[in-house]
Amino acid sequence: MTHVTILGSINVDTILQISRLPKPGETLAMSGKQVAGGGKGANQAIAAARAKAETAFIGKVGDDPNGKLMRRALEAAQIDITQISTSNYADTGEAFILLDDEGQNSILVDGGTNQEIKIADIERAQASIDAADFLIAQFETPLTTTLAAFRYAKSVGVTTILNPAPAKTDLDPELLKLTDLIVPNETESETLTGIKVTDEPSMQAAAHALLNQGVKAVIITVGAKGAYYQTKTEQGFIKAFKVDAVDTTAAGDTFIGALSSQLQGDLSNLASAIRFANKASSLTVQKLGAQPSIPHLSEILADGDIQKA
């Protein structure tokens, strides 16, 4: 069984359903409202755990109802929450998601306790990193903490996966040198490389730029089209499964969590793991909400058009 440790964000999402995004100064009536667990890190952890990876989490919540809610949700998913600490100074992170009738979303985030994760938290969580095949991080927690975590992971031979989301430009170059696999979408890829992703040649150029910055392998996800991957020895494009999207929230997080559950530590089965992750994401977008929509392994394998990587 693959062991995955995730350093990341924990949010409670409020989903506001609207016909379309409002114009400046406009008032629109909502057609629905839901509250669900979220946060890129927590979503990825639940996706990994539901795909049957042994999963542990490094994060922080507030001493508030949302924090208690998220602890219960992660524990119910059989995630090791030993390294989720509680802050007495900030509230649990929250996200407010505007979801339109086409299934597209715009998201506002209050980082809350996610921004309080410190290097000391990484030092306390070293045993969780030691036990992992993969350490995954995103950009919803402090970059200095992620850098410390990746330094430690590489010192003990753990493969690192970086989801550079939301996109940032002020990266310490060392972070990419410590990254074995980076997984941006087309927007995040452009932010990191300055290359606009419009077709496969531009994906290849962006991937080369990231490899030149020190990462070992690149996956650029392009939504409903699929994902492009490149290493120093191989490259390719894996098409997405065609479905009718209801809500794209957590599609990328599902992809990364599901991917990590199937990967070999040397990334030798990258293409087959991407196909598995594409299938998982295609199921996520057909349901409403982040964590409620993330599929279990049995659902991913149910129709027989995908197998474990």
Side-chain angles (χ1 to χ4, degrees), residues 216-265:
K216 305 298 187 299
V218 180
I219 299 173
I220 300 174
T221 59
V222 286
K225 296 177 183 177
Y228 176 84
Y229 71 96
Q230 188 163 325
T231 68
K232 290 181 171 60
T233 59
E234 64 175 317
Q235 64 191 59
F237 189 87
I238 308 295
K239 291 183 179 179
F241 291 82
K242 299 301 181 184
V243 297
D244 293 325
V246 173
D247 179 6
T248 58
T249 306
D253 297 331
T254 299
F255 179 94
I256 291 169
L259 178 89
S260 70
S261 77
Q262 302 299 301
L263 270 179
Q264 299 293 329

Side-chain angles (χ1 to χ4, degrees), residues 48 62 85-86 91 95 122 136 156 158 185 187 189 234 260 281 294 297:
S85 58
T86 300
D91 292 334
I122 302 304
I136 303 175
V156 294
V158 174
N185 63 21
T187 302
S189 174
E234 64 175 317
S260 70
S281 292
I294 296 171
L297 179 62

Side-chain angles (χ1 to χ4, degrees), residues 29-238:
M30 295 187 302
S31 58
K33 175 183 175 181
Q34 292 195 13
V35 176
K40 296 192 72 63
N43 295 343
Q44 290 170 16
I46 285 181
R50 288 182 181 170
K52 298 303 182 183
E54 191 77 26
T55 307
F57 199 92
I58 305 169
K60 190 165 289 191
V61 295
D63 185 16
D64 54 27
N66 281 345
K68 294 178 177 64
L69 171 71
M70 291 309 299
R71 280 182 174 276
R72 290 194 300 270
L74 293 169
E75 196 166 29
Q78 298 185 314
I79 294 166
D80 179 355
I81 64 169
T82 306
Q83 297 304 323
I84 296 178
S85 58
T86 300
S87 170
N88 296 317
Y89 305 102
D91 292 334
T92 303
E94 290 188 89
F96 300 89
I97 301 168
L98 302 178
L99 176 66
D100 70 18
D101 286 346
E102 301 300 317
Q104 297 301 311
N105 59 56
S106 296
I107 304 174
L108 305 173
V109 177
D110 174 15
T113 50
N114 297 315
Q115 297 305 311
E116 286 201 352
I117 304 173
K118 308 296 184 185
I119 292 174
D121 295 304
I122 302 304
E123 293 170 347
R124 285 190 290 269
Q126 286 181 354
S128 290
I129 299 173
D130 290 342
D133 298 300
F134 300 101
L135 175 67
I136 303 175
Q138 324 80 37
F139 284 171
E140 289 187 334
T141 55
L143 291 177
T144 52
T145 305
T146 300
L147 182 59
F150 274 32
R151 281 175 180 156
Y152 182 74
K154 296 311 299 174
S155 77
V156 294
V158 174
T159 301
T160 54
I161 300 176
L162 181 64
N163 174 216
K168 294 183 183 292
T169 56
D170 55 339
L171 292 187
D172 186 324
E174 185 186 358
L175 182 60
L176 295 185
K177 291 181 173 65
L178 293 167
T179 297
D180 292 305
L181 174 62
I182 192 167
V183 190
N185 63 21
E186 62 266 54
T187 302
E188 295 147 4
S189 174
E190 182 179 357
T191 299
L192 290 171
T193 66
I195 298 170
K196 187 174 181 62
V197 170
T198 57
D199 52 20
E200 195 161 329
S202 59
M203 293 177 203
Q204 183 176 357
H208 269 300
L210 290 167
L211 292 172
N212 288 339
Q213 292 181 64
V215 303
K216 305 298 187 299
V218 180
I219 299 173
I220 300 174
T221 59
V222 286
K225 296 177 183 177
Y228 176 84
Y229 71 96
Q230 188 163 325
T231 68
K232 290 181 171 60
T233 59
E234 64 175 317
Q235 64 191 59
F237 189 87
I238 308 295

